[in-house]
Amino acid sequence: MIKKVLIANRGEIAARIIRTCKKLDILTVAVYSEADQKAPYVSMADESYLIGPPRVNESYLNTEKILSVAKEVNADAIHPGYGFLSENGDFAEACKKEGIIFIGPSSQIIKQMGDKIAARKEMQKAGVPVVPGTSEAVPSVEEALEVAGQIGYPIMLKATAGGGGIGMQVVRSDNELAKAFESNSKRALTFFGNGAMFMEKKIENARHIEIQVLADHHGNVVHLFERDCSIQRRNQKVIEEAPSTFISEKTREEMGSAAVKAAKTLGYTNAGTIEFLVDQNENFYFLEMNTRIQVEHPITEEITGTDIVEAQFAIANNERLKIDQHELRIDGHAIEVRIYAEDHVSFFPSPGHISKLELPKGKSVRNEIAVTSEYDVTPFYDPMIGKLIVKGNNRDDAINLLKQALLEYKVEGIKTNIPMLLNIVDSEPFKKGKTTTAFVEEHYLPSLTKN
C-alpha cells in the first residue's frame, strides 16, 4: 500500500492531490522551484524540497533530481499531476526501475499515445473512428501540399509529439500551409524534441467532447461520461462543462462504449481521457488520448460523485475498481472555468503581484486555487492561477451560479480573464448551448468590437 507519495508538480493540481492524500492518510512530499518557495501547496505538504531554479528544465523536468528526492525520502510512489512529467514514458520507466510506483499507465502506453500517429493507428485497430488524415509523418512542404490536394482544405497541421495546442495550426490554402509547415515543425522540435508533422481534415464547427475512463489492473474499465470542452482560446480550453448539452443519449452511449473499448484494446490502466471531435451530425472522431489526470477532472467528479485522484491511488495499489458501469449516473450539471493571469483581450500573460484575492463561496461552488493574496505570479509557468467549478441541478442553475460566483471573484494587482468569462457566460449563444470550438472567434471577439 502506498504510504508516502512525492508530487512531481506544482500549483493547484499539487494542492488538489495533497487534499485527497490527507483523506487517505498518505504522507505527501512537495517539490518546488526557487520561484515557488511561497506557493500554497508547498506548506500544505508534510515535507517539501527545493529542486532547482525557476526554469522547468532545471526543476520540474529534472528527472534525476526528482527521483533523487523520492529515494531520499523513501516515497513509495510519484504522482505526476498533469503537464511536466505526466506523459513522459521515460520518466515512468525510470520510476519503475527505482522500485517507485508511477501513478499513471505503463511507460509503453504513454509513449504509444504520445505519438499522435501511433495513437491514430491504435484507435483504428480498436475500431474507433479517427479524423481523416495522414497515417505517417509528412516529411516535407512539397509532400504536405500534395496531401492537402487530396484531403482538401481546411486542414489541421499538427506535431506528432504535440500537446496543449503547441505545434498545431489551421491552414486554409497552399500559401498558408507552406508558411506554417516549417515554423510549426521548428516550434515542435523546440518544445518536444521532435519536429515531425502530420495532417488531419479540420472538422468545421466541431465540438470538443471527451470521455473520462478509469481502468484497473484486472481488466475492468468504466467511463465517467463526457465533458464538453469546446470553448477554447489559442487551441487551449477555457470553459468546460459536464454533461454535454449537444449529444443525444444514443451518442453518449456510443462514445462511452468506444472509449472503454479503446482502453481495453490498449490494456490501459489508471485514469485517462479519450478526446473526440463531434461534428454537427453527432459523428465523432478520435482526436487524442491523455494518459493522465486532466485539468477539467473536477466537473466529472461533481456529476458522478467519484474522487478521481482517490481512484488513481486505488488502481496504483492494484485494487479492483469499486464501481460498475451500470451503477454510474449523471447527477446535475457542472461547469468549470479556468482563471488565467492574462489580458482578456490579447490573451497575453499578466504576471505580477496579487494585492488582494477573494474567492466566491457556497456549497455548490468549488475553488481549486494555486495562489493567495500577496502572492507573486511569475512569468515562468502557465498563467492559470485557479479553477472555479460550480454544480447546479441543471444547466440553467449552473450558469446562474457561475455568473454570481464570477462576480464575487476578486483578484487585484494583475489582469485576469474574468471579464472574458463573464462575457461568455452571460451571452445568448452560450446560454443556448452553441458552444463549438469556434465560439471565441465567432462570438466573444466580435462582442468586444461591438462594445
Side-chain angles (χ1 to χ4, degrees), residues 100 200 300:
I100 298 170
E200 286 178 348
T300 297

Side-chain angles (χ1 to χ4, degrees), residues 344-347 420 423 439-450:
H344 73 280
V345 176
S346 67
F347 307 144
M420 172 193 184
N423 177 307
F439 188 96
V440 169
E441 289 75 20
E442 291 182 354
H443 300 293
Y444 172 64
L445 293 177
S447 75
L448 297 177
T449 307
K450 288 178 188 173

Side-chain angles (χ1 to χ4, degrees), residues 143-303:
E143 288 201 32
L145 291 169
E146 188 177 331
V147 171
Q150 296 162 6
I151 299 178
Y153 291 104
I155 279 171
M156 290 298 295
L157 182 66
K158 294 183 174 182
T160 63
I166 297 169
M168 181 191 301
Q169 187 172 341
V170 181
V171 289
R172 298 183 181 277
S173 68
D174 283 356
N175 190 38
E176 283 184 16
L177 178 57
K179 288 180 183 173
F181 190 89
E182 290 191 1
S183 61
N184 277 280
S185 181
K186 285 178 183 173
R187 195 154 183 248
L189 185 63
T190 301
F191 275 87
F192 310 117
N194 181 351
M197 307 299 293
F198 73 107
M199 298 159 70
E200 286 178 348
K201 178 75 177 171
K202 176 173 172 51
I203 308 296
E204 297 276 32
N205 295 314
R207 311 261 176 159
H208 181 127
I209 298 176
E210 60 191 29
I211 305 288
Q212 174 76 60
V213 297
L214 292 175
D216 67 19
H217 293 273
H218 306 278
N220 303 305
V221 183
V222 297
H223 72 81
L224 304 181
F225 308 104
E226 79 280 4
R227 296 186 285 257
D228 191 326
C229 310
S230 300
I231 297 186
Q232 306 174 3
R233 54 96 175 92
R234 297 198 315 252
N235 290 318
Q236 291 182 319
K237 300 164 187 170
V238 65
I239 299 178
E240 301 103 349
E241 59 184 306
S244 167
T245 57
F246 178 68
I247 61 173
S248 64
E249 190 59 36
K250 177 175 177 287
T251 303
R252 174 171 293 121
E253 287 179 11
E254 289 175 353
M255 291 180 72
S257 296
V260 168
K261 190 175 176 184
K264 285 186 173 179
T265 301
L266 290 168
Y268 192 83
T269 55
N270 217 278
T273 303
I274 314 283
E275 298 194 341
F276 295 98
L277 284 179
V278 182
D279 70 16
Q280 294 301 296
N281 297 315
E282 295 191 52
N283 298 307
F284 59 90
Y285 304 94
F286 170 76
L287 187 61
E288 64 179 4
M289 182 172 194
N290 291 141
T291 55
R292 54 172 167 77
I293 194 164
Q294 287 193 286
V295 178
E296 57 270 31
H297 74 276
I299 52 175
T300 297
E301 295 184 325
E302 292 297 324
I303 65 161

Side-chain angles (χ1 to χ4, degrees), residues 412-439:
E412 295 181 3
I414 60 170
K415 293 179 181 177
T416 74
N417 65 332
I418 290 175
M420 172 193 184
L421 298 170
L422 270 169
N423 177 307
I424 292 174
V425 168
D426 208 27
S427 71
E428 286 304 311
F430 180 79
K431 289 176 182 173
K432 290 177 180 174
K434 295 182 178 179
T435 52
T436 72
T437 52
F439 188 96

